[in-house]
């Protein structure tokens, strides 16, 4: 090969896109939530249905209430005529990386997206909160998940960065989330991104304990 000729790219190209979820994404969000619950050993309490998600995820404008970013991947460039390229509320984030080996995606068929050759690889679900000590809104990150075969490729950082960038754009003061005590890899990942721990104990009032208060004066 001539010295002036550039070397061909190595590895397998993998294109990624982060975009706003739409109602047709509900089946994928539902499956991702249940995979996340299994990963966190919470399958026994995960009762979310597609009907629940359809009823609550798209009732308000994006970023004003519950909002979901979808992570998609493809071995080919995303089609220019994709309807997901023209959302007025959010410009999709598109990247390309060279993976050392092709990704073996055992669930690729059930996570096929609307665009050809595109699969859903992860998501993040978040909504506004109000840290009272700052007097300014922030985002609370409720669910954050990348499917196993797409981890350690920078996609988690892309998703979290997309939420953080939106927070900055809206002049919000923080992005806040919880992590399991045993998930050391996640803690290390978050700290590498500059996140700090906050000493708090989390309580929840749910199920029968919640219903006991329905007649309180």
């Amino acid at each position: 090969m001539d010295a002036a000729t550039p070397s061909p790219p190595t590895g397998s190209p993998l294109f990624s896109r982060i975009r706003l979820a739409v109602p047709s994404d509900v089946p994928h969000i539902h499956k991702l939530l249940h995979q996340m619950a299994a990963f966190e050993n919470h399958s026994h309490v995960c009762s979310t249905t597609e009907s629940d998600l359809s009823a609550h995820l798209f009732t308000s404008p994006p970023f004003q209430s519950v909002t979901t970013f979808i992570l998609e991947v493809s071995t080919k460039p995303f089609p220019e005529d994709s309807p997901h390229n023209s959302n007025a509320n959010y410009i999709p984030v598109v990247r390309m990386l060279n993976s050392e080996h092709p990704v073996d995606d055992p669930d690729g068929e059930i996570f096929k997206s609307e665009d050809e050759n595109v699969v859903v690889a992860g998501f993040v679900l978040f909504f506004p909160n109000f840290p009272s000590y700052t007097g300014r809104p922030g985002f609370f990150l409720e669910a954050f998940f990348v499917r196993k075969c797409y981890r350690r490729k920078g996609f988690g950082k892309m998703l979290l960065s997309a939420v953080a960038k939106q927070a900055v754009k809206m002049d919000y003061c923080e992005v806040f989330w919880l992590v399991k005590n045993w998930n050391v890899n996640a803690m290390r990942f978050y700290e590498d991104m500059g996140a700090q721990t906050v000493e708090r104990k989390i309580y929840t009032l749910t199920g029968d304990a919640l219903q006991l208060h329905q007649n309180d004066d």
Side-chain angles (χ1 to χ4, degrees):
M1 181 180 293
D2 188 271
T5 303
S7 302
T10 59
S12 302
L14 193 60
F15 298 85
S16 61
R17 176 172 67 188
I18 294 174
R19 60 168 177 82
L20 275 173
V22 295
S24 60
D25 291 310
V26 162
H28 292 316
I29 297 172
H30 180 251
K31 288 192 287 282
L32 288 166
L33 280 168
H34 280 269
Q35 285 197 359
M36 184 181 73
F39 173 74
E40 295 186 340
N41 300 315
H42 278 174
S43 292
H44 60 292
V45 296
C46 185
S47 60
T48 304
T49 66
E50 290 187 20
S51 296
D52 293 331
L53 299 175
S54 296
H56 298 290
L57 288 188
F58 304 100
T59 58
S60 301
F63 312 119
Q64 304 306 309
S65 184
V66 181
T67 301
T68 306
F69 283 156
I70 294 290
L71 167 67
E72 296 174 311
V73 297
S74 175
T75 56
K76 299 180 179 180
F78 292 96
E80 294 184 1
D81 59 351
S82 169
H84 298 304
N85 292 336
S86 56
N87 193 306
N89 295 295
Y90 184 76
I91 300 174
V93 177
V94 180
R95 299 282 187 270
M96 192 275 284
L97 64 85
N98 280 313
S99 181
E100 185 176 354
H101 303 288
V103 175
D104 180 14
D105 185 352
D107 292 331
E109 284 297 315
I110 65 173
F111 279 102
K112 276 187 174 181
S113 188
E114 295 174 319
D115 292 334
E116 188 176 2
N117 300 312
V118 177
V119 297
V120 172
F123 81 122
V124 58
L125 186 151
F126 57 101
F127 51 84
N129 66 346
F130 192 80
S132 56
Y133 290 165
T134 69
R136 294 164 55 203
F139 280 136
F140 180 79
L141 198 158
E142 166 62 26
F144 175 39
F145 186 71
V146 175
R147 295 202 285 124
K148 184 176 181 179
C149 58
Y150 294 106
R151 294 174 195 162
R152 301 186 183 278
K153 298 183 183 301
F155 295 140
K157 183 177 181 180
M158 281 181 59
L159 276 170
L160 189 55
S161 293
V163 179
K165 184 175 181 178
Q166 186 64 33
V168 172
K169 181 179 179 180
M170 298 174 67
D171 196 30
Y172 280 13
C173 67
E174 71 173 13
V175 179
F176 180 80
W177 66 94
L178 310 178
V179 61
K180 298 294 183 184
N181 291 328
W182 52 261
N183 199 343
V184 178
N185 288 336
M187 295 178 196
R188 187 177 299 116
F189 163 70
Y190 297 141
E191 290 168 4
D192 286 346
M193 289 195 66
Q196 299 177 341
T197 58
V198 179
E199 292 187 9
R200 296 183 183 180
K201 182 171 286 189
I202 307 302
Y203 289 87
T204 180
L205 192 63
T206 186
D208 292 341
L210 178 63
Q211 294 302 319
L212 287 173
H213 296 272
Q214 63 178 328
N215 296 320
D216 285 355
D217 294 330

